[in-house]
Structures are given as C-alpha cells and as structure tokens.
Amino acid sequence: MMHRRPAWVVASALVIAAVLALSGCAQVDEPTNRPITAVPSGAAVTLPVDDRWSVSFPAGAAGPTGGELMTSPAPPPQVPGLEVLASARLTLSTGQPTAPLTFTYRFDAPLPANQVVYLLDDDGDGDAFTADPAAGPTMTPTRLRLAELSPDRMTAIVTGVDHLSWKSWVSDRLDDLTAEIGRLAGLRFDPPECQAPRPRWLTANFVEGPNAPMLVCVGADPADADIGVVKITNNRGTGLVVTSPVRPSWAYETITGTAAESWAPDLLTVVLGRLAIDADARDRTYLLAPGQSVHIGFAQDRFDGQPIPARIVGTVSPDAAAWGILMRLLERELGTSSTAAVMLALLAGCVQAAVPEDADVASTLRAVAGLATCALEHPELVIDVLSRTVSATAMDRAINGLLSARKLLTRYAAIGELTFLTVDLATTFAFSRDALTVNLFIANARQRAPRPLTPQASEPEPAVETSGSLSIAADWVSPTTLRVNLTTEGPGSPGERCAVVLDGTERWSGPCPMPGGSIPPTVSADGSQGHSLQATATGNGSSISSRTVTVPAFGT
C-alpha cells in the first residue's frame, strides 16, 4: 500500500543540479499567447487551449466572482518512451480552481488500437522535466493521468484535474511498453562460481539449469576450507529476497557494486522492514536486484539445533519484484551506485505496508505503478530517507539520480491501469517453490527432527513405504505436479546418488539426503491416473537400494 501525503514542494536548496539530457521528442503543438479569457462564475464553460485541446470549468470553479484564464507556450517534457502531443502552461487569475476540471484532446483520425494517451500534470512549471540541467529545477509533485478514449477513439478525456499549471498531452504504444517490461522481467544472467570444493560436512540440493530463478553454487571459503559457502545469483529481471535459515558466519552482497558503500547496511535494514521481513530475520536476509548475488559463509556449528534439511529460501513479493524491474531500468541509464541509493530509498519511503505474498503479473504491475507514482507525486518521501541514511557526498549523487529517475519512471506510473498482460512477465513467475529453495544437509549436526511436508486438505494422504534406510513419499500439489519426499532413516547413508523414477522413466536425480534428512523434489505427472513411483540409491556405480510406491490419481 502506498503512503499518501499532501502535495509538497521540495526546497530548491536540496536539489543539486544535473538532470541527464535525454534526446528525442516529437514535434508538438504549442499554443500561441492568447488574450485573457473570461471564466464566468455562474455557468459552466469550455475554453480552448489551442485548436486541438480544451479545458472545461464547471459553474463556480473560478470563484464567486469568476476569473480569467491565461494560456502560454511551454516546452515539451523530455520523457523517454512517450510521444509528446501538446504542452502549455495554464494560470487562473483567482488562483487554483475550486472544483475539478475536465481536459479534452481531439485527434484528426482515430487513435490506433495499440496506443494510449495521458495528461502529464505538474504542480509547478514543469522544469524538472523540461529545463536545462544547469537550471537546477525543483522537484514538484507530478501525475500521469490515463485518458479515457471515446468509442471512435477520436477524443481523449481526463477528468478530476484540480490544479492549473504546466500540462502536457503524451502518448505511448502498448506494444513498445509490453516489450520493454518483458525485456526487463525476462532477463537471464551468468551463474556464480565457487573457487574451492565444498567441505565434507555439507551437501546441498537445488534446482539447476540456465532458466532456474536462482543460480546456485556450493563450495568452501578459499581462506578457510571448513567454512561452507553458498553463492546465489538472482536469475530474473525482478527483485529477489533470500533468507538464510541461520545467521551466517559472514555474507557478502553485490547490490552496490564490488565495494559496498557505508550507507548500504542502514538503508537495507529499513528496506527489509518495509518488505515485511521479521525483525529477527533481517540480519540473515538479503535483497538481490536482477543479476546480483549474495555469498553466504557457514561454519558447521551454525546449524546445531536446526531441522535438517536447513533451507535457504527465496521469495518474490510484488514490491520486491517491481523494485527489481525498475532497478534494472534505471541502472541501465544511471549506473549502479546512484540507482541503488535512489531505488532503496524509494522502497523505504513509499512502501508502508508490504503484503507478504507471492508476486504475479497483476500485483507486480500494480507495484511498479505504485513506486513510479510515488517518485512522481511524493519525491519528498525519497529525499527524507536519503537525508537520514546516506552521506553528504552520496546525497549529492542520489539527488541528481532522483531527478533523472523521475523522468525515466514516468511512463510506468499508470501501468497498473492498463488492461494487458505480458507473456514474458507471466513466464517469469511460472516456477515452483522448490525452484526458490536450497536444501542444505549437514553431516553430524545436532538437530531437531526434520520438518514434515504437509499435504493440502483437498489432497489424498501421501503414499509411503519405508524399508531399511531409504523412505519415499509422494503427494499431489496440483493436478500436474507430484511432490516427492526422499528421507534417510537410520545411521547410514542410502548411497551417493538418488533418483526418482516415474512409470519407468527417471524424472529427477541428485545427491541422496544425509542421515536423518530429506529432499523434496517435484516431478510432472498426469493427475487423472495413478502412477508407480520408484526411488533408487546408487554408490560406486552400482545399485544399493530401491523403494517403490503406488500413487493414486489426484483427488482420490
């Protein structure tokens, strides 16, 4: 939920010069200076701004005695991705209107089906979007208002405008916007590399492959072979929150580049609180932007008293997902350090009550719009966080970055209102919980009993067969997915490598669970019928044990 405050103008002393010069804008219609136009007090009136657009005043909107409207030319906004149709400055002799106004823009031909129209509306003079960077413009609240189109798509209408100042009609192409969001969300990255082999006490199980949402390697600290190291890279264009099961011996994040800046820990602590991370987990939770990594070092005794497997868990909430998408967008234009400070401050200042839920397309787009809208309408919230967390030197750079960021984020402020879905973005969220889990098996750890897998109430009780040191269980998590639980019982290991075989075809293989531990792989299956499920354990290239269960059809 976004925090709302009354409009507020940032003192110009806070705003350090430099807005990145962004080239390219369409030819626009600029109104000529008009004589002062009367706005009567007792009747509604529609007044032209130029030949294409007009503003409608309800009766009494100019005050009890009426007023006068002046329109004058204004430079167009320099907003990447948006085509400018017209710009003007409008003033009313009696101050601001006492009732909401309606703005109308008319086209010569129907607007193409893949285009949308907005009214970009600034409480000031628009300098933050139009002025020369040397002018040091102040950041005033700005809104991107989605226009309603007439059935023939010849007229765009925006209602409820309660402020007269700099206004600009702009247009965006839905296919361009869809492609851009898809490119940002659908990115893939290189896996991490571990320099030393893992210590003998540590075994891990995780989803592998170039399309896995978390790219993982497990090794040892090159400076201490007894320290196990798990490296995780975010392999999506969204943000990713990674939580360790225990407080590690050490951890390293790449969010601010190769050398973390002094302000990062304080700002990250505030952000994790905004993302609904429990206070006792914040010192073992890490926020990863797209392509960024966390390296986590563990001593073996860190897992004493923990259930095995111990699980490193990734989560993608709507706010974290949106943050990652916009982080990548800004990083591409502004560089890593300035972007990290601005985007972390945006999360800390604008997200007041994050919902701890898994992201999907609709919730992510709403969160993207919420963050972009907050940057436009409430820059003071971002500046307040920056002023309390970063150094004076970093503050100068961050304010400059915020000036540029607001322009880059403009076209995303209304994206939550657009009725379209991007296939690439939908695919980004099409992975199971197991794909966001690293299972850690600790040899000889003093541990509690392993956490059981609990089937859903609507599912059948798991089919289980136990014999000797290997146990296999299976239950349906959906009509097309079986969750398998391989468990080692007794003091010995069932083998070096285990596999899951469905109806005679191997569907999964990996390290066997440690004694007392378990592994929860998932396999695809047809829930309309029953299946034969087999678990095998091998060692030194030969079969050691095999267990088979029969799984009934889903829901039976």
Side-chain angles (χ1 to χ4, degrees):
M1 178 173 62
M2 307 307 301
H3 185 84
R4 302 290 183 190
R5 294 187 184 177
W8 182 86
V9 179
V10 180
S12 59
L14 279 176
V15 182
I16 310 299
V19 178
L20 295 183
L22 298 168
S23 62
C25 65
Q27 181 67 35
V28 304
D29 299 326
E30 288 192 352
T32 57
N33 282 313
R34 292 179 176 272
I36 293 175
T37 305
V39 183
S41 62
V45 64
T46 296
L47 302 175
V49 178
D50 67 12
D51 294 338
R52 295 186 181 276
W53 61 299
S54 60
V55 55
S56 298
F57 288 77
T65 60
E68 297 168 327
L69 176 71
M70 171 66 77
T71 62
S72 60
Q78 305 279 333
V79 179
L82 296 180
E83 177 186 358
V84 181
L85 304 175
S87 295
R89 289 192 178 98
L90 290 80
T91 56
L92 185 63
S93 61
T94 54
Q96 293 302 328
T98 59
L101 310 180
T102 297
F103 282 75
T104 304
Y105 189 92
R106 296 173 180 82
F107 301 95
D108 291 333
L111 191 72
N114 68 339
Q115 286 188 246
V116 290
V117 176
Y118 306 103
L119 182 66
L120 188 59
D121 173 281
D122 190 281
D123 281 3
D125 56 12
D127 276 357
F129 290 86
T130 63
D132 186 291
T138 58
M139 283 181 279
T140 50
T142 305
R143 287 159 297 277
L144 189 69
R145 304 177 188 268
L146 179 63
E148 181 179 349
L149 295 174
S150 61
D152 63 3
R153 301 184 67 85
M154 294 283 288
T155 304
I157 301 172
V158 174
T159 60
V161 179
D162 58 4
H163 193 279
L164 287 177
S165 58
W166 175 80
K167 312 289 181 187
S168 186
W169 288 98
V170 294
S171 175
D172 201 354
R173 292 170 54 94
L174 285 180
D175 48 359
D176 290 346
L177 187 56
T178 298
E180 177 68 7
I181 287 289
R183 281 192 295 269
L184 292 170
L187 295 172
R188 299 294 184 269
F189 301 92
D190 294 329
E193 295 182 356
C194 291
Q195 287 73 39
R198 61 179 173 82
R200 294 181 61 85
W201 59 264
L202 176 62
T203 304
N205 167 257
F206 48 88
V207 173
E208 298 182 78
N211 287 318
M214 300 197 315
L215 301 177
V216 181
C217 76
V218 179
D221 187 338
D224 185 345
D226 291 329
I227 297 291
V229 176
V230 179
K231 296 183 179 181
I232 299 173
T233 295
N234 178 10
N235 195 33
R236 289 294 187 270
T238 59
L240 173 69
V241 176
V242 174
T243 300
S244 167
V246 297
R247 187 175 183 180
S249 302
W250 56 261
Y252 164 74
E253 294 179 81
T254 63
I255 189 169
T256 56
T258 54
E261 299 193 32
S262 59
W263 50 261
D266 290 341
L267 191 46
L268 281 167
T269 298
V270 176
V271 167
L272 292 175
R274 295 291 190 267
L275 293 177
I277 304 301
D278 292 339
D280 62 355
R282 291 174 196 167
D283 62 353
R284 52 186 173 89
T285 298
Y286 314 97
L287 178 62
L288 304 186
Q292 293 180 342
S293 303
V294 60
H295 303 172
I296 311 173
F298 299 103
Q300 184 177 11
D301 61 8
R302 293 279 171 163
F303 296 95
D304 286 351
Q306 295 297 313
I308 301 298
R311 294 186 173 103
I312 300 175
V313 178
T315 56
V316 184
S317 68
D319 290 302
W323 172 81
I325 290 171
L326 296 180
M327 176 83 175
R328 187 67 180 183
L329 169 73
L330 298 186
E331 187 177 49
R332 187 176 62 191
E333 304 292 336
L334 307 180
T336 300
S337 184
S338 293
T339 298
V342 169
M343 286 304 300
L344 288 172
L346 188 61
L347 270 183
C350 297
V351 177
Q352 297 298 309
V355 179
E357 63 181 5
D358 291 339
D360 57 21
V361 175
S363 62
T364 297
L365 293 180
R366 287 194 298 270
V368 166
L371 289 175
T373 297
C374 187
L376 291 176
E377 296 187 10
H378 299 290
E380 79 280 6
L381 299 180
V382 184
I383 292 175
D384 178 62
V385 172
L386 291 170
S387 68
R388 290 184 285 108
T389 54
V390 307
S391 65
T393 301
M395 181 72 173
D396 291 350
R397 189 169 61 247
I399 291 296
N400 291 339
L402 180 58
L403 276 166
S404 297
R406 295 178 77 227
K407 298 172 74 170
L408 291 165
L409 295 177
T410 299
R411 73 184 304 207
Y412 302 94
I415 197 170
E417 301 177 59
L418 303 179
T419 55
F420 71 95
L421 299 177
T422 67
V423 174
D424 287 341
L425 187 57
T427 303
T428 294
F429 300 107
F431 45 74
S432 68
R433 176 64 60 189
D434 292 332
L436 291 171
T437 302
V438 179
N439 297 289
L440 302 178
F441 302 93
I442 314 302
N444 303 318
R446 295 184 294 274
Q447 58 187 273
R448 298 195 299 270
R451 290 170 287 190
L453 292 172
T454 304
Q456 299 177 12
S458 61
E459 300 168 358
E461 289 295 319
V464 180
E465 179 181 309
T466 303
S467 176
S469 61
L470 185 65
S471 172
I472 177 173
D475 58 305
W476 294 98
V477 296
S478 77
T480 59
T481 304
L482 271 173
R483 176 175 53 196
V484 181
N485 190 25
L486 300 179
T487 304
T488 299
E489 298 186 355
S493 171
E496 297 175 353
R497 193 161 189 83
C498 285
V500 174
V501 180
L502 181 73
D503 297 334
T505 302
E506 183 176 301
R507 294 296 186 88
W508 176 89
S509 66
C512 291
M514 300 295 291
S518 63
I519 299 174
T522 59
V523 297
S524 298
D526 180 3
S528 66
Q529 61 186 32
H531 297 275
S532 172
L533 194 67
Q534 182 184 35
T536 63
T538 59
N540 297 320
S542 60
S543 177
I544 295 177
S545 60
S546 175
R547 299 291 179 266
T548 303
V549 295
T550 298
V551 182
F554 178 82
T556 61

